[in-house]
Amino acid sequence: MAIQIIFNLLIAVLWMFMTESYTFVTFLIGYIIGIALLFLLRRFIPDAFYFKRVLLMIKLILLFLKELIGSTWQIAKLVYKPKLNVEPGIFALPTELRTNWEITLLANLISLTPGTLSVSISDDHTTIYIHAMDMPDIEKEIEGIKETFEKAIMEVTR
């Protein structure tokens, strides 16, 4: 992947030299040409096309923003009700993530989402303990996190 990035930057700089224009727009055009070349030559390069991972990262960010807005709305509805009817609790989320970076990213995404907080990670790094402000169905909460954040993190890192 690093070789692809270097190749792409080299194409962008070469494009700037060939056009004798040293602006950001010229660099961007050269970078896009480099991406197109890498895409066309992807079957000759042993690594996976790196721009696919960039798109998956953007997808993860958009997913987080969607969850952030949705959970903010849910918490606001709970807080502004005349009678606070919540079921707070701590539950264990078994995770399939392996590396410290993946687990940390998941724990941070959970903590940054309103209404949830990562409390602890088990010693064997297979379970994250999460406090939720309102969790009427624990299995639904676990499945929701696994199908959104955990799945998106695995797509980006593997």
Side-chain angles (χ1 to χ4, degrees):
M1 186 168 93
I3 293 172
Q4 291 179 15
I5 295 172
I6 292 169
F7 174 80
N8 208 357
L9 292 173
L10 181 64
I11 294 296
V13 171
L14 286 175
W15 181 257
M16 289 173 64
F17 286 141
M18 287 175 23
T19 59
E20 294 181 2
S21 174
Y22 305 105
T23 64
F24 177 73
V25 174
T26 308
F27 177 81
L28 188 62
I29 291 169
Y31 195 78
I32 292 169
I33 291 171
I35 289 172
L37 284 173
L38 282 172
F39 183 75
L40 292 173
L41 299 171
R42 70 186 181 277
R43 67 180 181 157
F44 300 113
I45 300 171
D47 272 347
F49 183 53
Y50 87 95
F51 201 70
K52 179 181 176 187
R53 186 172 284 182
V54 172
L55 295 175
L56 290 172
M57 285 181 202
I58 293 170
K59 178 183 168 189
L60 176 62
I61 291 168
L62 292 175
L63 171 68
F64 171 69
L65 290 175
K66 179 186 137 248
E67 292 293 324
L68 179 69
I69 292 168
S71 63
T72 301
W73 180 253
Q74 293 295 329
I75 295 300
K77 286 191 327 189
L78 284 173
V79 169
Y80 286 117
K81 283 184 178 178
K83 183 181 178 204
L84 190 61
N85 185 18
V86 295
E87 296 178 33
I90 295 176
F91 64 95
L93 172 74
T95 182
E96 298 172 26
L97 302 176
R98 295 185 298 236
T99 66
N100 286 338
W101 187 84
E102 292 172 334
I103 295 167
T104 302
L105 180 60
L106 177 61
N108 286 333
L109 289 175
I110 290 168
S111 293
L112 287 171
T113 306
T116 55
L117 177 68
S118 301
V119 178
S120 181
I121 299 172
S122 66
D123 291 334
D124 60 354
H125 302 288
T126 59
T127 306
I128 300 175
Y129 296 97
I130 301 168
H131 177 272
M133 184 174 163
D134 187 29
M135 50 178 227
D137 186 10
I138 294 173
E139 291 304 317
K140 183 179 173 189
E141 296 287 331
I142 291 172
E143 197 60 34
I145 292 171
K146 287 184 133 335
E147 287 299 315
T148 56
F149 288 141
E150 189 173 53
K151 182 178 175 184
I153 290 170
M154 284 194 289
E155 288 176 354
V156 169
T157 58
R158 296 181 188 167

